[in-house]
Amino acid sequence: MKKLSLRARVLTGAVAAAALGAGTFGAMSANAAAPAAAPATTVNADASNKNLHQTTHLTIEAATKAAQATLDAAEQENQRVTVAVVDRNGNTLVVLRGDGAGPQSYESAQRKAFTAVSWNAPTSELAKRLAQAPNLKDIPGTLFLGGGAPVQAKGAPVAGIGVAGAPSGDLDEKFAQAGVAALNK
């Protein structure tokens, strides 16, 4: 009998696991027709409850205001950029792609915004840290190039603004800072 290669064995195992999982899911789904009612529970939502954590989030109106101020600052210097604003969790709130911005700028702006909010620091500063920790660049969704700025409330990150498309990260970051400044007015 011919021995299967490692790749064939791995693929066969994966297919078997998927089939088993699908069968289990089907059995569970068939039995889930009449779920038992979950017991009603409430959590005391007063400020003294140590089981709750409150966070501050940027409104869509504020995110749009910041993105537009960023794009306006770039346009005043004849730069064609894309601006992305992400929330505290890195979810995209707003993306404005300026007229003539390159196709690569869309994803780059989002990744810079994500990186800035993730570390609560401008991406130009984070890029300097790569010398001591080069593996940082391997974290999915990040981009360690100038052009990202965190938005803070009481020192904590609540959003990130990323800009891409100008000839340098310094310019991208300058425009991102214009968006942050617009929120402080």
Side-chain angles (χ1 to χ4, degrees):
M1 177 179 263
K2 182 178 176 185
K3 186 173 181 179
L4 295 176
S5 69
L6 176 61
R7 179 181 170 136
R9 287 183 291 184
V10 169
L11 287 174
T12 302
V15 169
L20 180 60
T24 302
F25 178 77
M28 293 174 76
S29 297
N31 293 329
T41 58
T42 59
V43 175
N44 185 1
D46 65 29
S48 65
N49 189 328
K50 303 288 187 231
N51 294 320
L52 299 177
H53 178 73
Q54 292 184 335
T55 60
T56 304
H57 292 271
L58 205 59
T59 65
I60 192 69
E61 182 180 350
T64 302
K65 175 183 175 181
Q68 189 62 57
T70 302
L71 191 59
D72 291 346
E75 287 176 349
Q76 286 176 358
E77 295 191 29
N78 293 321
Q79 297 300 316
R80 297 176 177 100
V81 301
T82 297
V83 180
V85 180
V86 301
D87 68 11
R88 172 62 189 108
N89 300 318
N91 299 311
T92 303
L93 296 172
V94 176
V95 176
L96 296 179
R97 185 174 178 272
D99 294 335
Q104 80 290 352
S105 64
Y106 189 93
E107 183 177 348
S108 296
Q110 287 180 307
R111 291 174 60 191
K112 289 178 183 183
F114 176 82
T115 304
V117 75
S118 295
W119 277 275
N120 194 23
T123 53
S124 61
E125 292 300 316
L126 295 169
K128 295 173 187 174
R129 295 183 193 175
L130 288 178
Q132 290 80 32
N135 291 345
L136 280 178
K137 70 182 180 324
D138 297 334
I139 297 172
T142 59
L143 186 58
F144 292 89
L145 298 174
V151 177
Q152 300 176 348
K154 298 180 183 177
V158 296
I161 300 175
V163 179
S168 73
D170 292 340
L171 277 175
D172 285 340
E173 200 159 305
K174 173 183 171 185
F175 304 141
Q177 291 295 349
V180 173
L183 294 172
N184 293 322
K185 291 182 182 180

